[in-house]
Amino acid sequence: MIDLHCHILPGVDDGAKTIGDSLDMAKEAVSEGIHTIVATPHHQNGKYINEKHEILQHVSSLNERLVQENIPLTILPGQESRIYGEMVEDYRYGKILTLNHTSKYIFVEFPSSQVPRFTERLLYDIQAEGLTPIIVHPERNSRLIEDPDILYNLVNKGAMTQITASSLTGRFGKKIKKFSFDLIDSNLTHMIASDAHNISRRSFHMEEANELISAEYGMDMLYLFQENVEAIVNGKACFKDTPEKVKKKKLLWF
Ligand code: FE
């Protein structure tokens, strides 16, 4: 299995602090059946700056260390950029890194409680540049929970989305868990990933999330998500079902 979103690089953000932490995370990942991780450090989130060239260096040194330690895990380069106005310019300047450096897909993170006004325009510009934006963990954004039509509109216009495994398992609370399933029901998400930061409070939980998906939707949905992740890593096209609006909760009359 491939994990597309993970903060495993040491000392670059709020994920692994030391190389020891990275190796602990690597072992935990392998125990869950993960053989490949796309390392996606935070970028431009107000706290961390991690530009392309630095990430590439960190990824190659972690890979060397994994070989030395005989841990059967491969790290690929990626980046989790907070949405900001100059993303397309910075991509041209070589500061923004596409997932596995294939010039096809980029992660876009929203602030946790809002969707900036310029979002639709920026996602359009990103696509005009030949890239597909993947909105990370939309299920944890309080503005989107309040008004899922905003997400419907963005997906309808070509954005993809990634749900966090721990959201499905309920580690972020009932509301976020329910909204995660709503997004799957409405074809408003296309893959899951761990967004693991450590092996304690923010670990992988991919196996558990996969079991929930196959129990609720069958193996086909699980394979679809996994095939999309593989396609992204290989810079190929993904499968996208027609998005639907999240159905408003029906009123129950007693
Ligand atoms: Fe993340």
Side-chain angles (χ1 to χ4, degrees):
M1 170 170 39
I2 302 172
D3 184 11
L4 197 63
H5 183 163
C6 185
H7 299 265
I8 195 171
L9 296 181
V12 299
D13 62 8
D14 56 346
K17 288 194 172 47
T18 63
I19 182 72
D21 293 342
S22 303
L23 297 175
D24 286 344
M25 287 175 78
K27 287 174 200 156
E28 177 67 24
V30 169
S31 79
E32 284 209 18
I34 295 166
H35 56 73
T36 303
I37 282 179
V38 181
T40 52
H42 288 292
H43 179 58
Q44 289 282 5
N45 70 344
K47 220 170 165 192
Y48 304 105
I49 303 277
N50 282 292
E51 293 181 356
K52 176 167 132 181
H53 68 283
E54 299 163 304
I55 298 170
L56 293 174
Q57 280 171 8
H58 283 290
V59 166
S60 68
S61 39
L62 181 54
N63 274 323
E64 277 171 31
R65 188 62 190 265
L66 289 168
V67 171
Q68 284 168 14
E69 302 281 337
N70 277 317
I71 300 173
L73 181 73
T74 304
I75 309 295
L76 303 175
Q79 185 186 47
E80 179 181 12
S81 285
R82 179 69 61 90
I83 191 164
Y84 66 105
E86 295 79 37
M87 273 185 89
V88 173
E89 285 89 331
D90 278 1
Y91 172 68
R92 292 183 189 149
Y93 286 133
K95 296 179 182 178
I96 296 284
L97 177 58
T98 52
L99 297 172
N100 195 25
H101 209 179
T102 61
S103 311
K104 291 283 188 239
Y105 296 91
I106 56 169
F107 270 171
V108 181
E109 185 194 33
F110 293 165
S112 59
S113 57
Q114 45 158 317
V115 177
R117 275 175 191 282
F118 61 87
T119 298
E120 188 177 331
R121 179 63 208 241
L122 183 69
L123 296 188
Y124 176 86
D125 291 344
I126 288 172
Q127 292 175 79
E129 195 71 18
L131 306 173
T132 301
I134 301 175
I135 300 164
V136 297
H137 43 70
E139 80 282 3
R140 281 155 51 197
N141 179 289
S142 54
R143 183 79 188 94
L144 294 175
I145 295 174
E146 230 169 67
D147 187 357
D149 286 359
I150 299 173
L151 189 68
Y152 167 80
N153 179 45
L154 299 174
V155 172
N156 207 24
K157 291 188 169 152
M160 295 181 73
T161 82
Q162 169 257 308
I163 279 184
T164 299
S166 308
S167 298
L168 286 166
T169 63
R171 275 175 185 79
F172 291 103
K174 272 188 192 161
K175 208 169 163 185
I176 289 176
K177 176 171 179 156
K178 185 191 173 292
F179 190 48
S180 303
F181 282 100
D182 286 346
L183 295 182
I184 299 177
D185 289 336
S186 313
N187 300 327
L188 290 176
T189 194
H190 312 92
M191 71 207 80
I192 65 162
S194 78
D195 196 10
H197 282 64
N198 49 55
I199 55 165
S200 50
R201 292 181 55 220
R202 296 284 303 274
S203 193
F204 292 89
H205 309 296
M206 288 285 282
E207 271 184 321
E208 198 184 334
N210 285 344
E211 277 164 25
L212 287 173
I213 291 173
S214 58
E216 183 74 21
Y217 302 97
M219 290 304 277
D220 286 354
M221 182 68 89
L222 187 58
Y223 290 146
L224 177 76
F225 284 172
Q226 290 180 346
E227 278 162 19
N228 277 343
V229 167
E230 224 166 277
I232 289 162
V233 160
N234 293 316
K236 299 267 166 60
C238 285
F239 178 81
K240 291 186 272 184
D241 244 324
T242 312
E244 290 163 20
K245 291 189 174 185
V246 173
K247 289 180 190 74
K248 298 262 156 45
K249 219 162 70 186
K250 280 184 199 125
L251 288 172
L252 295 172
W253 299 97
F254 292 101

